[in-house]
Amino acid sequence: QLDKVTKSNGRVLLRGPAGSGKEVAARYVHANSNRADAPFVTVNCAGVEPESMEEVLFGREGKDQGVQPGLLGQANGGVIYFDEVADMPWTTQGKILRVLTDQSFVRVGGDRQIRVDVRFVSATACDLAIEIAEGRFREDLFYRLNVVPVEIPPLSGRREDIPDLANHYAARFASEHRIPPPYFSDDAMAALQACEWPGN
């Protein structure tokens, strides 16, 4: 699925539980796209205070402090990744919708349009249909971001990958500590595959 979207500029919405590898998927899209040499900028929507979000995204300008670029400006030519997009403040959602439409924005304290060429990749562990129904997420923004939806399954949903992952991490641990790599018995591997892997 990801290989199909790497070469386009289509917006991608990655959905999956916490720890399932949504940012890894976003970085894969970037690394295999024609924007691979341009920036990959992450916006942690849950980690930015709502009152600071617009300054973080758009930057600030004024007579005293000059121009302070925001994350959108830093991502120009590349990819901007909205981690946990459901946590974006409502007022910012409307302004991001405008950026998606026009590929331009105005810095906080500024008055001129700044044009950018940015590909949007977003991720969420939430059911955005519920967020929309309860008035926390804009439906029009959802449709703009959800051009290419990709489901990232939990580890419990891809148990066939567990032997490869177990052997990879065991070999890495052994290499870091300069010890022989451990061997997993059939029973040990079966126990790993039977685990529910909370938190992935």
Side-chain angles (χ1 to χ4, degrees):
Q1 279 183 294
L2 294 174
D3 284 334
K4 289 177 182 175
V5 302
T6 54
K7 302 305 181 192
S8 77
N9 279 320
R11 299 175 199 124
V12 180
L13 179 60
L14 304 164
R15 289 181 286 197
S20 57
K22 296 184 290 296
E23 184 167 345
V24 172
R27 289 184 180 277
Y28 181 88
V29 170
H30 172 252
N32 292 279
S33 73
N34 56 9
R35 296 174 181 261
D37 294 331
F40 178 93
V41 175
T42 299
V43 181
N44 178 4
C45 295
V48 179
E49 293 295 326
E51 59 272 15
S52 304
M53 180 63 88
E54 289 179 24
E55 191 170 324
V56 168
L57 284 176
F58 306 128
R60 170 177 284 281
E61 62 181 83
K63 292 178 182 177
D64 296 334
Q65 65 272 67
V67 173
Q68 298 173 338
L71 296 180
L72 270 167
Q74 293 172 30
N76 191 28
V79 170
I80 191 159
Y81 170 64
F82 287 105
D83 186 27
E84 293 308 332
V85 70
D87 291 319
M88 184 182 291
W90 180 267
T91 53
T92 308
Q93 291 177 32
K95 294 188 176 180
I96 287 295
L97 187 63
R98 175 62 59 188
V99 177
L100 290 166
T101 305
D102 299 339
Q103 288 276 303
S104 67
F105 61 91
V106 177
R107 294 190 185 103
V108 174
D111 57 6
R112 61 190 179 93
Q113 293 286 331
I114 311 297
R115 294 202 61 78
V116 286
D117 171 21
V118 178
R119 183 179 189 184
F120 287 79
V121 178
S122 307
T124 183
C126 295
D127 184 336
L128 288 180
I130 293 173
E131 298 298 303
I132 291 166
E134 296 185 356
R136 292 190 293 267
F137 199 80
R138 292 179 62 122
E139 188 172 17
D140 46 3
L141 179 58
F142 169 74
Y143 287 120
R144 294 275 183 172
L145 294 175
N146 193 41
V147 176
V148 182
V150 177
E151 293 289 335
I152 308 294
L155 188 53
S156 60
R158 51 179 200 248
R159 295 181 189 278
E160 67 277 6
D161 291 348
I162 290 172
D164 287 337
L165 288 165
N167 286 314
H168 167 80
Y169 284 110
R172 194 168 90 175
F173 178 86
S175 173
E176 288 171 358
H177 295 274
R178 297 186 177 140
I179 59 173
Y183 165 76
F184 291 97
S185 69
D186 290 344
D187 286 347
M189 196 61 78
L192 289 175
Q193 288 185 286
C195 182
E196 286 304 307
W197 293 100
N200 295 294

